[in-house]
Structure formats: C-alpha cells, structure tokens
Amino acid sequence: MKTISSAIKASALSLILLTGSAYAHAQNLSESKNSTQPRAQQVSDTVIAANAYKPGVNRVTFQSEGETLVGNLYLPANYKPGDKLPAAIVAGSWTTVKEQMPATYARKLAEQGFAALAFDFRFFGESGGKVRSFESPTAKIADIKNAVSFLQTVDAVDSKRIAGLGICASAGYMAVATATDSRIKSFVAVAPWIHDAAIVNTIYGGENAVQEKIKSSQAARVKFEQTGKAEYVPAISTTNKQAAMYGNVDYYLNSKRGAIPQWANQFAVMSWAEWLTFSAMPQAKQIKVPTLFIHSEKAAIPDGARQFFAAIPGDRKSIVWFPEAQQFDFYDREATINQAVALTVKQLRTSL
C-alpha cells in the first residue's frame, strides 16, 4: 500500500487544500442543545398530498432538528400514483447544494426507475440554519437520518427499500448514517473523501498546524456566541490562502460547472474544528448492508477509502477503481458519472 503522503500527492484535491493558517470550530452549534444521538423525526411541512407526487422533480420540505430542509424528489417519467419505488438519498461534496452534483445523480437514478432525494443540508442553500455555509458533519449525519424519516412518509416510496449515496465528503457522512441507522439498506460511496487524524495531519500541515486551527476556531465560536456574527472565508479562492480550498479549481470557479447561483462561495470559519476532528473510520466495522465504493487512484485520498473499505466486515461489499478519473470528473463529467450510475443501479437493484 502506498503511504498516505504519496496518495495525497496523487490526489486531485491535494493541490488545492488549504495548508496555510485558517480558523476552526470545536463542535456543532446544535449540539449545545441536542444530544449526540440525533432524533429521527417524521414531521414534514411538505404541501404535497398523498398520491399527488408527479413524474419528474417534486419540491419537498421536511424537518430536521428544528430546521426546515428543502429538497427535490426525483421520480421516474413513468411514475404513477400507487407505485412504491425503491429510493436513494443523494448527498454531495462539502460546501455544496442540491443543484450541483446531487441533482445530477438523483436525476439519473430516477431515469432508471428509482425515487431519488437531493436536499440542502442545514446551513446551506434553501434550508434553514442561522450560520450559513457551516460544514458540520454531526448536523449532516442527523439530516440524512431525518431525510430517511421523511422518505418513509412519502406515498411514492417503499419505506423498506431506502439506500444512501454519498459523494466526496458526504460518503463519510453517509457511512456513519448507514452504520447507525438500520433503515438504510444499501450504501454507495462515489469518489469518497474519508479521512482520519493521520490523513488530516498530512493534508493540513501537521499536528501542530491542525491544533492551531482548532484553537482559532474556538475563538471564532466564542465571538459568534457573544455577537451573533459568524466569520467567513471563501470556500474556494485563487488568492486567499485562508479559503477552504485554495487554488484554481475550475469546478467551483466556472459558472458552467459548479459555480451556480444557488451556491454561495463561502465557508463558515467555525466549520474547521469539526471537519478536522471528524472521522468515519471507526464506523466501518458497524456497516452491515451491501456496500459499493467507486473511486480512482487519481482522485482524492484513495488510501482513506481503501482503509475504510477494508474494515467493513463480511463479503457483501465491492470496490471499483476508475483508471483515469480525477475527483471533479465524478461531479460533472458525463462519461464518468454514467459509469458510476450504472454501477450504482446494479448495486441497488440487487440490494433493495
């Protein structure tokens, strides 16, 4: 196995990750009033009556830990009232919104006969949450579980056949949700970004640098609690080294790709500590459902995906390596996505 550092050098994202100074934040703001185990809620304020869903895109809302989340539920063109479809929750890379890569995968899954939900996590896009662009793994995992609860109320969905598909950072979030929520019956990770402390230290300049970011984040949170104002840096920048991603990353800078109007190019400074200290690795041994990993040696931290995959027990798992794909190819390169969707469809048809 290659060393982590060599894998990082091979990663498409290693050149753009922040290595300079940045602030961080120690924990999810919502955890100050919620338990560490998120409550699964089935409350929805969706104004769609039973049997009123239609083929194509259905705008939906549901509740998660006191906030309203907004999503799009994609249904097949031949859907008709009374159908009970297998479903997938599709979640994208960190900082992103439902109209980016989640929409692409959800639409293609619907074309193959699935119900597919893409939604904005708390603090992003159209969903609620006071601190905008706050990357909280804890909140996102809870949101995924509450999305499952919502899908179980949808007349068009078979409540016992729900899968999770996580792209990039959401692969880690979806992994934890899958490991801790038995209602998720199948798990797919596309271009998974899964890190642990060793990988974090390699990417972000070493343990001392990481700890300095965490200390700075604590100061940022204190400031927010005292003033109600959050600090922000760009999510992506070619000039600001404090950005979450630093460098010329075309996907996030190109209006024909990921730089869409619905996406705010900002990153809450308070996000850093939770992001830096989060690791899905310990949950790998708890995954009991059929699992598919799709990745590339030329994409982000392949050793992290390899390590997690190896720890999943049993033989109901498979990993497919694309020979030439870069990380962002999995976001919007048609040929790469079509291959990934074809593998996903095969997985879901045999496991749901």
Side-chain angles (χ1 to χ4, degrees):
M1 181 181 294
K2 297 183 297 183
T3 64
I4 290 175
S5 59
S6 62
I8 295 298
K9 291 178 182 178
S11 166
L13 287 187
S14 64
L15 298 177
I16 56 106
L17 284 168
L18 173 66
T19 58
S21 62
Y23 298 105
H25 138 269
Q27 63 183 27
N28 178 9
L29 291 179
S30 64
E31 289 305 288
S32 62
K33 60 181 179 179
N34 294 319
S35 65
T36 57
Q37 294 297 321
R39 301 184 304 275
Q41 300 179 5
Q42 298 190 22
V43 179
S44 173
D45 59 0
T46 308
V47 188
I48 298 181
N51 297 316
Y53 291 91
K54 66 182 189 303
V57 184
N58 297 265
R59 179 181 170 86
V60 299
T61 62
F62 59 97
Q63 296 295 303
S64 183
E65 310 302 308
E67 297 289 353
T68 298
L69 306 190
V70 179
N72 289 322
L73 179 64
Y74 294 75
L75 297 178
N78 62 354
Y79 166 76
K80 59 185 183 301
D83 288 348
K84 292 288 188 180
L85 303 174
I89 296 169
V90 183
S93 181
W94 73 331
T95 81
T96 57
V97 292
K98 64 184 181 298
E99 291 84 4
Q100 291 168 309
M101 70 290 291
T104 302
Y105 281 81
R107 174 175 55 80
K108 288 182 178 290
L109 287 175
E111 291 171 356
Q112 297 298 318
F114 296 88
L117 175 65
F119 68 94
D120 288 326
F121 287 103
R122 265 178 286 169
F123 317 119
F124 290 92
E126 296 182 272
S127 291
K130 182 177 180 180
V131 183
R132 306 311 301 169
S133 304
F134 175 31
E135 188 70 27
S136 168
T138 304
K140 288 192 169 185
I141 292 164
D143 290 349
I144 290 170
K145 292 184 178 185
N146 288 319
V148 175
S149 297
F150 164 68
L151 282 180
Q152 290 187 318
T153 72
V154 173
D155 186 71
V157 169
D158 184 336
S159 64
K160 296 182 179 180
R161 292 195 293 165
I162 297 174
L165 187 160
I167 305 160
C168 191
S170 283
Y173 308 151
M174 194 67 71
V176 176
T178 300
T180 56
D181 193 330
S182 62
R183 299 173 300 169
I184 300 175
K185 302 301 184 182
S186 187
F187 171 41
V188 179
V190 175
W193 177 288
I194 299 179
H195 63 218
D196 59 9
I199 293 174
V200 165
N201 288 341
T202 301
I203 293 171
Y204 290 97
E207 183 176 356
N208 290 338
V210 169
Q211 291 304 314
E212 189 60 34
K213 291 179 175 66
I214 291 173
K215 290 178 182 178
S216 298
S217 76
Q218 293 169 340
R221 178 174 181 176
V222 169
K223 180 178 179 180
F224 171 76
E225 292 176 342
Q226 291 177 343
T227 68
K229 295 181 179 180
E231 294 182 30
Y232 295 95
V233 294
I236 174 67
S237 176
T238 59
T239 58
N240 187 342
K241 292 184 178 181
Q242 289 189 334
M245 293 173 282
Y246 172 63
N248 187 19
V249 186
D250 187 67
Y251 177 81
Y252 290 105
L253 297 173
N254 189 337
S255 61
K256 295 181 179 180
R257 301 185 71 189
I260 59 176
Q262 298 92 333
W263 176 70
N265 185 8
Q266 66 178 13
F267 183 81
V269 170
M270 291 186 293
S271 304
W272 278 116
E274 193 174 347
W275 168 253
L276 293 171
T277 59
F278 169 73
S279 176
M281 291 291 187
Q283 298 293 342
K285 294 181 180 180
Q286 304 304 317
I287 292 180
K288 309 297 184 184
V289 302
T291 296
L292 169 65
F293 271 39
I294 301 169
H295 211 354
S296 170
E297 294 286 357
K298 295 184 178 181
I301 51 173
D303 276 356
R306 189 180 289 108
Q307 178 182 338
F308 186 96
F309 181 83
I312 299 173
D315 58 2
R316 293 196 301 168
K317 61 180 183 178
S318 59
I319 187 166
V320 179
W321 294 94
F322 285 20
E324 298 296 331
Q326 305 288 329
Q327 185 73 11
F328 301 108
D329 292 342
F330 289 101
Y331 297 1
D332 69 347
R333 184 170 181 263
E334 191 74 9
T336 302
I337 292 172
N338 286 342
Q339 292 179 62
V341 169
L343 291 167
T344 300
V345 167
K346 182 179 179 181
Q347 158 88 359
L348 298 187
R349 284 178 176 166
T350 58
S351 60
L352 291 182

